[in-house]
Amino acid sequence: MSLLIRNAEIVNVGTRAHGDIYVENETITRIGKDLQAPPDAEIIDAKGQPAFPGFIDPHVHIYLPFMATFAKDTHETGSIAALIGGTTTYIEMVCPNRNDDALAGYQLWKSKAEGNSACDYAFHMSVTKFVAETESQLRQIVADGTASFKIFLAYKNFFGVDDGEMYQTLELAKRLGVITTAHCENAELVARLQQKLLSEGKIGPEWHEPSRPESVEAEGTGRFATFLENTGATGYVVHLSCEPALNAALAAKKRGVKISVESVLPHFLVDKTYAERPGVEGMKHVMSPPLRAKHNQDVLWQALAAGSVDTVGTDHCPFDLEQKLLGRDSFVSIPNGIPGIEDRVNLLYTHGVKRGRIDLDRFVDSASTRAAKLFGLFPRKGTIAVGSDADLVIYDTNYRAKVSAKTQHVNNDYSGFEGMDIEGRPSVVTVRGKVQVRDGKFVGERGRGKMLKREPCHF
Ligand SMILES: [Zn+2]
């Protein structure tokens, strides 16, 4: 099986070249001008449009039992939505809670994906407690190819770890050469503030943000950084949402702490007034850390342009309106999450590149290449190069539409980005050389996705 993509603007971080890409089996084997292909090769004319390396979403939830319910997507629906939006690899959070056995949880999460995903995938392993068997279990999981951990400083008594457990996790991560991702909010403060607000009769979704203010996230970020500093481990802050937390991360970077920063799509595009709308309209926009005051959006865009926000993920986590209404009597019971897997690339391109907030290099870097490098997938993923997997996105820069729940492929009945402009979308998406999407339609092979085994790379 071979595939020739002709006449593309081949975009990698730092380089741009007009030419052709030739793929044999699953791999890019030639890049150049006027390439020839055997008569049986599939030929696609890119018509001078950009060819990007397949995009990587470093932070999604597909299978997730959480807040008395389950996130709505399966790997079948989630991976097809991802591919239609140009994401060819996602990294899912394995999230057993404190009462679950970690290794059994890991096997369960793996079994949900296996044979069901149309795109490639990998996992971050959540460490939600640190007990006698934890080290040997984590060693097995890393040896199985899952070379990154996740810890929650928030969600006390469910996913959350205390400082002692954080120390033990980071100390082990350092020895294993594994990067640790972290949800940084102070669990104790969140719990206290929630109780205080509820006792004052403040129960609507508009109180979600005040229950987890910016300072609470900044404290978590700073504390995580301090623990990295004192263990020598490498860390990655997930879904950083606001200026004080960014300052905490950047101060740590400046003093040599090995810390990277991810922000997620909602925090660039929607502000806390969305969650202040009454009833279910507000509940649609409840996630943690919460949507913030609008001025933080400019801060995040500027940090993204400068590269001090390293990656853009989604924290994709769909709950439908009926599930959101579990929180009708109390904001603490609203399932947290906003879906975004399908819209990330198009919205980042439109509201980042097209609006002049970031250049094309940062777009490709933050949505693909840098995640590949941080999480041990580069150069197999995250670049268009000879020898790399043929995960390619030919992008139609002339496409115009608005985001709508009516046309989305995510298994949910609303979109957090309803009505927003999209100026561009993938016209062709390949996964390891096979065309999976054409012009917004899945045309490929279900179950094609493979688990990507990753080696530790943070010694
Ligand atoms: Zn998450």
Side-chain angles (χ1 to χ4, degrees), residues 5 37 56 95-96 102 109 113 126 142 161 195 206 210 215 217 255 275 280 300 309 337 371 437:
I5 293 170
I56 299 169
C95 293
W109 257 260
S126 294
V142 172
V161 289
Q195 283 165 20
E206 70 274 27
S215 58
E217 186 186 346
R255 58 181 198 268
V280 78
L300 293 184
V309 165
V437 167

Side-chain angles (χ1 to χ4, degrees), residues 352-386:
V353 178
K354 295 283 283 185
R355 300 288 181 271
R357 292 176 171 126
I358 57 171
D359 62 22
L360 212 50
D361 274 345
R362 276 306 289 143
F363 168 66
V364 172
D365 192 29
S366 65
S368 178
T369 311
R370 203 171 290 201
K373 288 181 174 172
L374 286 169
F375 296 117
L377 292 167
F378 191 86
R380 181 174 174 192
K381 306 291 191 189
T383 186
I384 300 177
V386 170

Side-chain angles (χ1 to χ4, degrees), residues 59 61 93 150 152 183 238-239 315:
H59 183 171
H61 301 274
M93 299 290 177
K150 163 86 179 276
F152 293 87
H183 177 138
V238 296
H239 52 39
D315 199 7

Side-chain angles (χ1 to χ4, degrees), residues 321-355:
L321 299 180
E322 190 184 333
Q323 292 174 308
K324 288 284 183 182
L325 284 166
L326 290 169
R328 64 163 68 78
D329 298 323
S330 164
F331 68 87
V332 305
S333 302
I334 304 167
N336 280 209
I338 302 179
I341 204 166
E342 187 169 348
D343 302 313
R344 178 184 65 126
V345 170
N346 296 335
L347 286 172
L348 190 62
Y349 180 79
T350 304
H351 298 273
V353 178
K354 295 283 283 185
R355 300 288 181 271

